[in-house]
Amino acid sequence: MPRSRPLVIGHRGAPGYRPEHSRSSYALALAMGVDAVEPDVVVSRDGVLVVRHENEIGSTTDVSTRPEFADRRTTKTVDGEDLTGWFTEDFTWDELATLRCRERLPAIRQTSASFDDQQPVLRLRDVLDLVREGSLEQGREIGVVLEIKHATYFARAGWDVAALVEAELRAAGWANGELPLVIESFESTVLTQLRQRGIRGSSVYLLEADGRPFDLVAAHGKAAPTYQETAAPAGLDALVGVVDGISVDKRMILAPDRLGRASGPSRVVADAHERGLQVFTWTCRPENAFLIAQFRGRGGRSAFGDWEGEWSVIRDAGVDGVFVDHADLGVGFFR
């Protein structure tokens, strides 16, 4: 059943104010009252689950300034896309721990960028412990929405990501259902693997507005269903009993027309709810750069537009969870 109000999830902490996935980003999100935070995890060379948005870390850490790591710069194909930079799987955890976090969008979030190079990269265990401590200090349950990145890619590199996640969650006391846990991925295969391993928590299938999931492309090629097909009624039928919910690009709810005007809310939320599936959406951001055209205002890409107008369409669609970059705005608006 849909919630009376959506779960407000601090997307990578509070990256509207601090570099994403840094300790201060998570601490600020907790202090601002989010219901949960969302760490993304990738894998180091020695099998440590590292909290980074992507395994390529050239733009979110100071690695490019470190001469001792200059020879690690390389080009790889990740989920079908050629990327050049530095990759977590080429570093041990001890090496990654020496790196410092940087703002990913410095031209848009200059205040956040002023905190660059001050805080170390975190492990999943660091975030789990931080959330547990925050829950105890605030006297309320705070959840973790754990996103698994590139599971098929890492499997080809020799890592069983489901096994790594299971081991970490059990070691941290997050696997038995006593603490609120959601596991999400753009690849349904790893979600199924974790469910089979007995991890107790909700599983949520992330859906892009375009494209196909890489795990199914790897297995079936062009016969793999698109994300759009998965979000259609027949695709949602196939998810019943497999996952607990979906998490969709906000454009799939807003359904902007050619002029960038919201024609939504679309049917995807209602269709999913009719099948007993929860619906999360990502990412609610106030800056003009991220709003659909109808809600953009003056002042350039970094200025706040009519974010309340866009978020109202999302709220009125009846979503069960929203990912926000500005935790205080999200908590204030959706509550």
Side-chain angles (χ1 to χ4, degrees):
M1 295 293 293
R3 294 165 53 95
S4 58
R5 65 167 181 82
L7 194 76
V8 178
I9 305 160
H11 182 237
R12 311 173 202 164
Y17 304 110
R18 301 290 188 275
E20 66 186 29
H21 293 314
S22 64
R23 180 173 291 275
S24 67
S25 182
Y26 285 109
L28 186 58
L30 298 180
M32 288 178 167
V34 296
D35 299 304
V37 295
E38 183 241 16
D40 303 308
V41 294
V42 293
V43 184
S44 73
R45 190 171 73 192
D46 48 349
V48 174
L49 292 172
V50 182
V51 178
R52 288 284 91 194
H53 176 233
E54 295 291 342
N55 57 325
E56 198 292 298
I57 55 175
S59 65
T60 61
T61 73
D62 64 347
V63 67
S64 65
T65 70
R66 303 287 292 275
E68 68 269 35
F69 299 136
D71 62 350
R72 309 263 182 110
R73 188 172 188 269
T74 187
T75 298
K76 298 189 180 190
T77 303
V78 181
D79 295 1
E81 180 182 0
D82 290 338
L83 299 174
T84 298
W86 291 261
F87 297 83
T88 58
E89 64 270 23
D90 295 332
F91 295 79
T92 65
W93 164 246
D94 285 346
E95 290 173 326
L96 290 170
T98 70
L99 301 179
R100 295 297 179 264
C101 300
R102 285 187 171 179
E103 170 55 47
R104 187 168 55 90
L105 304 166
I108 295 174
R109 294 176 172 168
Q110 296 179 18
T111 298
S112 177
S114 71
F115 293 89
D116 281 358
D117 300 342
Q118 297 180 24
Q119 301 169 77
V121 171
L122 301 176
R123 303 164 299 176
L124 174 59
R125 182 60 181 269
D126 298 323
V127 176
L128 295 175
D129 290 347
L130 182 64
V131 174
R132 184 194 295 273
E133 292 166 5
S135 297
L136 292 172
E137 289 173 0
Q138 297 186 28
R140 65 185 182 96
E141 282 195 339
I142 305 173
V144 168
V145 180
L146 170 59
E147 181 177 347
I148 298 172
K149 293 282 190 172
H150 310 304
T152 300
Y153 169 85
F154 282 115
R156 291 178 170 179
W159 292 111
D160 183 340
V161 177
L164 294 175
V165 171
E166 178 194 9
E168 193 68 82
L169 291 175
R170 293 197 185 282
W174 280 83
N176 57 11
E178 293 182 5
L179 298 169
L181 174 68
V182 176
I183 301 177
E184 60 176 6
S185 178
F186 286 102
E187 301 180 46
S188 59
T189 304
V190 71
L191 297 177
T192 299
Q193 292 169 346
L194 281 162
R195 178 168 284 192
Q196 291 171 343
R197 287 175 171 272
I199 299 300
R200 297 182 62 185
S202 298
S203 59
V204 171
Y205 191 17
L206 285 158
L207 303 181
E208 296 266 18
D210 303 296
R212 291 177 167 87
F214 187 71
D215 58 334
L216 300 186
V217 170
H220 307 294
K222 293 183 178 180
T226 66
Y227 286 119
Q228 286 284 352
E229 289 169 338
T230 302
L236 295 173
D237 286 340
L239 296 181
V240 175
V242 178
V243 296
D244 299 299
I246 58 174
S247 184
V248 300
D249 185 323
K250 67 178 183 178
R251 290 178 294 166
M252 297 171 73
I253 296 173
L254 297 166
D257 61 21
R258 292 183 178 180
L259 297 178
R261 297 173 301 197
S263 58
S266 68
R267 281 287 310 172
V268 65
V269 178
D271 287 344
H273 283 167
E274 288 173 3
R275 291 157 177 80
L277 298 170
Q278 292 187 320
V279 183
F280 293 178
T281 192
W282 45 275
T283 301
C284 289
R285 295 166 167 140
E287 296 103 336
N288 285 323
F290 307 112
L291 299 172
I292 65 171
Q294 174 184 350
F295 300 109
R296 294 173 195 154
R298 298 179 178 179
R301 289 169 52 82
S302 62
F304 286 12
D306 180 17
W307 55 273
E308 297 101 327
E310 183 177 281
W311 294 13
S312 292
V313 178
I314 292 169
R315 179 194 59 203
D316 294 347
V319 295
D320 304 287
V322 292
F323 292 86
V324 299
D325 279 7
H326 295 71
D328 55 339
L329 300 184
V331 170
F333 184 87
F334 289 104
R335 289 184 183 171

